[in-house]
Amino acid sequence: MQDGARPHRTEQVFRFLDEYFGNRVIALEYPKFTGAGMDWPPYSPDLTPCDYCLWGTLKDIVYQKHPATLDELESAICVACESISVETV
């Protein structure tokens, strides 16, 4: 994005994101179009390298087993964190 241009937020883009990433997308006005995902928080800080690598890796590991309860989710998060090597971090 340059010169203050806004990101692409058309219905086609949201449908593409929903098809490939499901409800794991965090984007401005995304839930309005799809009814899923999380809205981008207002005044959020700049993205960090963890946003590009670490969190995606953790999500992939955690959601492989489709946790159904909060206890299963918490356990899956702990296992995922322990499985990532120091070199990756």
Side-chain angles (χ1 to χ4, degrees), residues 15-85:
R15 288 189 195 282
F16 173 83
L17 292 172
D18 189 51
E19 180 180 336
Y20 286 95
F21 301 106
N23 65 352
R24 296 185 299 159
V25 175
I26 300 174
L28 184 63
E29 296 182 4
Y30 180 75
K32 188 188 315 181
F33 283 95
T34 63
M38 292 176 51
D39 204 3
W40 188 262
Y43 309 110
S44 61
D46 290 336
L47 297 174
T48 66
C50 289
D51 294 321
Y52 295 107
C53 176
L54 182 61
W55 303 138
T57 302
L58 283 174
K59 283 185 200 176
D60 290 342
I61 295 170
V62 168
Y63 288 110
Q64 279 178 346
K65 297 185 180 182
H66 304 288
T69 66
L70 287 177
D71 289 334
E72 290 176 5
L73 178 61
E74 182 179 354
S75 175
I77 291 170
C78 291
V79 169
C81 290
E82 291 171 0
S83 71
I84 296 178
S85 68

